[in-house]
Amino acid sequence: MNLLIDSGNSLIKWALEKDGVFIKEGGCLTSYASSLHDLWEDYDNPARVIVANVAGEMVAGEISKAAYVRWQLDAEFITSTQNCCGLTNSYHNPEQLGIDRWMAMLAAFQMIDGPVIVVDCGTAVTIDLVKRDGLFAGGVIMPGLMAALRSLEISTDAIVQINSFNSDVGSIAQSTEDGVVAGVLLCLAGGIERVVREQTLLSDEMPTVLITGGDGEKLVPYLTISTKLQSGLVLQGLRVFAETE
């Protein structure tokens, strides 16, 4: 039994995995990392604690502390490598690739029989192409939904902070707030579609496009290309990693 942790910039998500099945899942805001010890109070002792962390050293320290105090285990913080479970990393410096992207690609590669494009819609939006043979050809990083909204709020006096919004807005919005939300959603959708088209041209056959991440569901209605919504790809990639490494 392993505790798998996807530690992101906004959220920490985890799953207790046994024999390839998630038997318990949970999550919290990354800013609540110091509470992990209490949140895991009723968890049975795992054999390993395996972490994909992109939230920085302070959060990593809180995860390490919680795992050691709770179960006397050293958390394993994995990094991207040149090769992993059939994947080949095309980055000149493989460790520079975000481990969340690497694990999401690993899960997608295991799920899809053929080339796949992974669109992860989190704090940032990443769009990565994995070819049929497991080669990660490369990818793109752009601001995520909330980052784009915040950039307009900071730069424009007339736009107030938007904490919640109607995701059904379209290109003829009738308030400033709806206009901002619609503009950001359509901008991201257009950017995603442009990158997917270009990556498709670099693939030998038509890739499957998987959408994941916390804001994936908000963006899917604005996309005009064929996609599949798949939650929890990073945790699924960690499960594959735990089984083989």
Side-chain angles (χ1 to χ4, degrees), residues 89-143:
N89 191 339
S90 67
Y91 261 35
H92 302 302
N93 180 1
E95 289 190 4
Q96 189 182 39
L97 175 68
I99 188 59
D100 54 343
R101 294 168 66 190
W102 192 227
M103 289 296 101
M105 283 186 271
L106 176 57
F109 178 64
Q110 295 288 326
M111 291 177 182
I112 302 299
D113 181 20
V116 60
I117 295 173
V118 180
V119 183
D120 194 339
C121 305
T123 303
V125 172
T126 58
I127 310 167
D128 296 312
L129 170 63
V130 179
K131 295 189 174 183
R132 174 180 282 276
D133 62 1
L135 174 66
F136 160 52
V140 165
I141 305 170
M142 61 179 69

Side-chain angles (χ1 to χ4, degrees), residues 113-115 129 131-132 199-208:
D113 181 20
L129 170 63
K131 295 189 174 183
R132 174 180 282 276
Q199 291 185 351
T200 298
L201 293 174
L202 298 173
S203 178
D204 297 332
E205 52 189 303
M206 182 65 67
T208 299

Side-chain angles (χ1 to χ4, degrees), residues 5-8 50-54 76 78 99-100 103 234 238:
I5 303 173
D6 170 15
S7 174
I50 306 174
V51 189
N53 176 55
V54 296
E76 303 173 38
I78 63 173
I99 188 59
D100 54 343
M103 289 296 101
V234 176
L238 285 167

Side-chain angles (χ1 to χ4, degrees), residues 158-178:
I159 297 175
V160 299
Q161 184 171 355
I162 300 171
N163 292 313
S164 63
F165 53 83
N166 174 14
S167 60
D168 295 328
V169 294
S171 58
I172 308 179
Q174 295 178 326
S175 72
T176 298
E177 290 81 1
D178 284 352

Side-chain angles (χ1 to χ4, degrees), residues 24-91:
K24 187 178 291 188
E25 298 182 59
C28 69
L29 294 172
T30 302
S31 56
Y32 292 173
S34 60
S35 301
L36 289 171
H37 174 265
D38 295 327
L39 294 171
W40 295 337
E41 185 175 6
D42 63 344
Y43 279 49
D44 294 332
N45 287 33
R48 302 169 69 187
V49 176
I50 306 174
V51 189
N53 176 55
V54 296
E57 292 184 6
M58 185 175 297
V59 173
E62 293 292 352
I63 294 171
S64 293
K65 179 181 176 182
Y68 193 80
V69 170
R70 178 58 61 194
W71 304 296
Q72 291 72 58
L73 285 176
D74 292 325
E76 303 173 38
F77 291 87
I78 63 173
T79 58
S80 300
T81 54
Q82 186 71 56
N83 298 283
C84 179
C85 307
L87 285 184
T88 301
N89 191 339
S90 67
Y91 261 35

Side-chain angles (χ1 to χ4, degrees), residues 188-200:
L188 284 173
I192 289 168
E193 292 186 358
R194 167 69 181 269
V195 173
V196 167
R197 284 197 299 271
E198 292 195 5
Q199 291 185 351
T200 298

